[in-house]
Amino acid sequence: MSINSALLAGVSGLAANSAALSAISQNIANVNTIGYKRTQGEFQTMVNAQSFGTGYSAGGVMAATRNFISQAGQLQRTNSSTDLGISGSGFFVVTERSEGLEPTDTRLFTRAGAFRVDQMGYLKNTAGLYLQGWPVDSEGNLNTDPSDLNRLRSINVGTVGGTAEATTRVQLNANLRSSQAVSAEALAAAAIPPGANAYDPATNSMAMWDAETGTGVRPDFELTIPVSDSKGGQRTLAVSFLKSDVPNQWYAEIRAIPEDDVVTGAGLTNGQLRSGIIAFTQDGRLDVPAMQALGADALFDDPQNASLTFGASNGGAPGAGEFRWADGLGIDNQTVSFDLNASAGGLTQYDSASVVQATLTNGTAFGNLTEIQIDDEGYVTAIFDNGVVRRIAQVALATFPSPDSLTAVNGNAYRVTQGSGTFNLKAPGSGGAGFIGASQLEASTVDLSTEFTGLITTQRAYSASSKIITTADEMLEELLRIKR
């Protein structure tokens, strides 16, 4: 009966507009929810099968909810370095548990990046979901896989303790006065046979110099180098220079201060680590070919690859010309490279005062964690008060072929569906994934003016559908009166 179908069509209109009102209400309620994606009720007609000659039967309308998940919201600046927004495509991978994750545990996806450090040091958002990323191993490498969620771990910044870095490189910028007078010890060393009190690195060296007793040979110039060991302890190396009677050549010794910081092998005394000749060109620069020609007599036979190798404290007895750290220090082996011929300086011999312009080293003493920073490529970096910067992990972003088909769950997160397609894990800024915006949060995509307009039209449509029902009711009442 046509009046009956009109009545049912009106009921379907009421139901459809009620569903649309629910979507609008959800949007308005979440206007300030971080990373919220608006939904919208969309209508589609329902058509009944029509039989010729029997009149028209109204089908009505049905409402379906459409999610605008792929619509990006504006990024807004915050004061927290762990607030994260995504500029572009992708979702944070999050879990409901921080530790002991199994392959069967639920992985969710969200754009809500208001993360905070919890009591265990994990990054957790306001919905209680833990941020996942690829951890950086001890060698600074990442083990990534675009399809394996099991390689992700909950990012923990609370386990990062103090750190230190051993010195591996030293750059010396210093000048030796070319007009320095040749000492009596250096002249005696050049005599044949050597004269009394002649300089000798084994029996009468600069390392033996004692101003109070007058023993040893006083250096013409000396500089010290601070060195950090494997535990962040501070060690000191001294480089002593003595002008030779040969033009443009100097005797040089490198030793440890104090001498009991090292254990040395045969040929080294009083904390000596190395001794030999340094040669300069006539224009005052380091003469690399001349030192290479000197071979074993040079301080370093190849100044371009100059280095000292310290054995570990628990190493055996050092061989001739070798050395290691003292037993009581309990530190690891260490190789320190010397840059003596830097383009910006290095060792020079000009006719001006002997002076140290700079001693540059890359080691650091022990330092404590002061700050956590996250860059636009998702690298989570720990910064220490000794200047050390160390990467902890990289935030992973998941992309989908059809993100609008994801299913929404509590906590402003989403779950994979058949319609969304399989996820792909990507590093931020690569493969179509967006960049990370640190100290930023993505605002809700709700536009209140649009929602209030929708409220008006939905209310009017609901009222119109109710009129269908009242009109059909009146027509049925007229039909019933015919019998009277």
Side-chain angles (χ1 to χ4, degrees):
M1 183 178 180
S2 296
I3 295 179
N4 239 5
S5 67
L7 194 64
L8 295 175
V11 172
S12 71
L14 293 177
N17 283 286
S18 295
L21 179 64
S22 296
I24 294 172
S25 301
Q26 178 81 350
N27 291 340
I28 294 175
N30 286 280
V31 67
N32 289 321
T33 301
I34 298 301
Y36 175 77
K37 306 300 180 181
R38 66 181 294 268
T39 62
Q40 178 177 300
E42 296 188 342
F43 303 107
Q44 55 183 327
T45 58
M46 294 188 296
V47 179
N48 292 331
Q50 308 293 328
S51 298
F52 182 74
T54 59
Y56 182 80
S57 177
V61 65
M62 181 173 64
T65 301
R66 177 182 176 186
N67 296 313
F68 293 86
I69 300 174
S70 59
Q71 181 181 354
Q74 293 290 331
L75 294 184
Q76 299 176 338
R77 182 67 58 181
T78 70
N79 295 323
S80 174
S81 62
T82 56
D83 282 339
L84 304 179
I86 301 175
S87 177
S89 301
F91 298 82
F92 299 114
V93 183
V94 292
T95 59
E96 296 174 337
R97 292 198 302 166
S98 60
E99 300 175 343
L101 291 173
E102 300 292 338
T104 55
D105 287 331
T106 302
R107 268 72 168 183
L108 301 175
F109 307 91
T110 185
R111 300 268 294 195
F115 294 102
R116 296 291 183 272
V117 180
D118 71 358
Q119 70 275 15
M120 298 296 291
Y122 292 100
L123 292 179
K124 180 174 68 173
N125 69 7
T126 51
L129 301 174
Y130 294 92
L131 180 63
Q132 302 289 292
W134 292 294
V136 175
D137 63 22
S138 58
E139 297 180 356
N141 300 318
L142 292 167
N143 186 15
T144 63
D145 190 313
S147 60
D148 190 359
L149 285 171
N150 295 317
R151 294 194 182 182
L152 300 179
R153 296 290 182 272
S154 298
I155 297 177
N156 190 314
V157 300
T159 57
V160 181
T163 188
E165 287 187 358
T167 299
T168 59
R169 184 173 179 272
V170 173
Q171 179 180 321
L172 295 180
N173 293 337
N175 181 67
L176 302 178
R177 187 184 186 102
S178 63
S179 59
Q180 173 72 42
V182 179
S183 65
E185 292 85 356
L187 291 173
I192 301 176
N197 202 32
Y199 167 74
D200 186 290
T203 60
N204 191 33
S205 66
M206 289 181 277
M208 297 176 183
W209 168 248
D210 187 330
E212 294 183 0
T213 63
T215 57
V217 176
R218 179 178 180 175
D220 293 328
F221 182 67
E222 185 172 87
L223 59 87
T224 57
I225 304 169
V227 173
S228 295
D229 61 34
S230 61
K231 291 182 178 179
Q234 290 298 292
R235 309 293 155 206
T236 302
L237 304 183
V239 186
S240 304
F241 300 94
L242 184 70
K243 182 72 180 292
S244 168
D245 72 319
V246 178
N248 300 323
Q249 287 189 4
W250 294 68
Y251 299 111
E253 294 179 16
I254 304 176
R255 73 181 192 278
I257 300 176
E259 63 181 79
D260 56 8
D261 269 359
V262 292
V263 177
T264 58
L268 299 173
T269 60
N270 299 90
Q272 283 177 330
L273 306 175
R274 204 173 191 94
S275 63
I277 296 173
I278 290 182
F280 295 92
T281 61
Q282 293 183 359
D283 59 1
R285 302 294 298 179
L286 198 68
D287 194 339
V288 175
M291 292 183 65
Q292 290 173 337
L294 287 169
D297 292 332
L299 181 66
F300 295 104
D301 56 5
D302 186 1
Q304 295 177 330
N305 294 288
S307 64
L308 296 176
T309 299
F310 296 80
S313 292
N314 60 355
E322 297 178 347
F323 44 88
R324 64 174 175 83
W325 293 116
D327 296 335
L329 299 179
I331 53 180
D332 203 359
N333 60 355
Q334 183 175 355
T335 297
V336 180
S337 298
F338 287 79
D339 188 354
L340 305 176
N341 197 27
S343 58
L347 276 180
T348 59
Q349 182 195 232
Y350 296 118
D351 196 8
S352 62
S354 295
V355 66
V356 179
Q357 282 93 10
T359 302
L360 308 177
T361 64
N362 67 339
T364 58
F366 178 83
N368 295 304
L369 179 67
T370 58
E371 186 180 359
I372 294 293
Q373 289 186 353
I374 304 174
D375 63 17
D376 59 358
E377 294 182 351
Y379 285 105
V380 183
T381 304
I383 300 176
F384 299 84
D385 57 11
N386 61 356
V388 173
V389 176
R390 189 170 70 192
R391 286 179 173 175
I392 302 171
Q394 185 179 28
V395 176
L397 294 184
T399 61
F400 297 87
S402 179
D404 288 342
S405 299
L406 293 167
T407 297
V409 297
N410 289 337
N412 202 14
Y414 303 94
R415 195 188 305 273
V416 177
T417 66
Q418 185 175 1
S420 67
T422 306
F423 63 84
N424 283 290
L425 300 178
K426 298 173 182 176
S430 66
F435 287 94
I436 298 292
S439 299
Q440 298 180 69
L441 290 175
E442 184 177 2
S444 168
T445 58
V446 175
D447 180 2
L448 282 179
S449 61
T450 300
E451 303 305 326
F452 286 145
T453 302
L455 274 179
I456 296 171
T457 57
T458 301
Q459 181 183 16
R460 293 304 181 190
Y462 189 89
S463 298
S465 295
S466 68
K467 290 296 183 182
I468 294 174
I469 296 174
T470 57
T471 302
D473 177 58
E474 290 172 358
M475 292 175 68
L476 284 172
E477 187 176 355
E478 288 294 327
L479 185 61
L480 290 173
R481 287 177 183 163
I482 292 176
K483 184 179 179 183
R484 300 175 189 168

